[in-house]
Amino acid sequence: MATTWTDEDPAAYLDAVTPAVRRRDALTLRDLMERVTGEEPRMFGTSMIGFGEYHYEYASGRSGDAPAACFSPRKAASTVYLPDGVGAHEDLLARLGPHTTGVGCLYLKDLGQVDLAVLEEIVRRSWATVTAGTFGQRAAES
């Protein structure tokens, strides 16, 4: 895996996020993920804020470690990474509010328009799944 944990300060990174709505949403996501995970934020690569860690090992033999909960405040939308795949959360996503998805990513343009309790449950469920032991499923398999 090319992306790894860094010693960069997540607070300094978040303070520099633009536009203002993305910074507001990033601070909300930081607080939500801290509450769910009980972990302090750490930078993973140059633009991802991670919480905790999980170990994965696929049938192909590929294995590694990655953040168990993670987000990135991108210019177009805040990205919430769901290592267990968005398919594992279809029931909750139907109640979330405006969003788009990728295989393992949830894209949110404005947290003010989504149900934060539903988002918190999605993050909580994903966290519980990937931290229960070695995780062996790719996001696309959910």
Side-chain angles (χ1 to χ4, degrees):
M1 177 180 289
T3 306
T4 61
W5 295 106
T6 73
D7 292 328
E8 297 302 313
D9 180 13
Y13 175 77
L14 293 175
D15 285 344
V17 168
T18 59
V21 68
R22 201 68 61 236
R23 184 171 45 259
R24 178 204 69 193
D25 288 357
L27 296 173
T28 300
L29 285 168
R30 180 202 58 201
D31 293 348
L32 183 150
M33 290 192 181
E34 280 183 341
R35 188 170 51 253
V36 167
T37 68
E39 299 282 341
E40 293 292 318
R42 294 172 53 204
M43 292 299 297
F44 190 72
T46 59
S47 64
M48 294 184 280
I49 313 298
F51 300 80
E53 188 172 87
Y54 78 102
H55 184 73
Y56 63 87
E57 189 170 321
Y58 302 139
S60 66
R62 182 175 176 192
S63 67
D65 300 296
C70 189
F71 75 93
S72 182
R74 309 277 187 202
K75 286 228 185 257
S78 296
T79 303
V80 175
Y81 297 92
L82 300 171
D84 57 338
V86 297
H89 307 282
E90 285 182 15
D91 59 326
L92 292 170
L93 290 172
R95 301 186 353 242
L96 179 62
H99 69 278
T100 56
T101 61
V103 173
C105 298
L106 175 59
Y107 304 106
L108 304 163
K109 289 186 184 242
D110 184 352
L111 288 186
Q113 296 182 5
V114 301
D115 186 328
L116 290 177
V118 172
L119 180 58
E120 187 165 331
E121 183 56 28
I122 290 168
V123 173
R124 186 179 318 286
R125 191 188 290 178
S126 180
W127 169 268
T129 298
V130 301
T131 60
T134 298
F135 191 67
Q137 174 180 313
R138 292 178 175 267
E141 297 169 348
S142 71

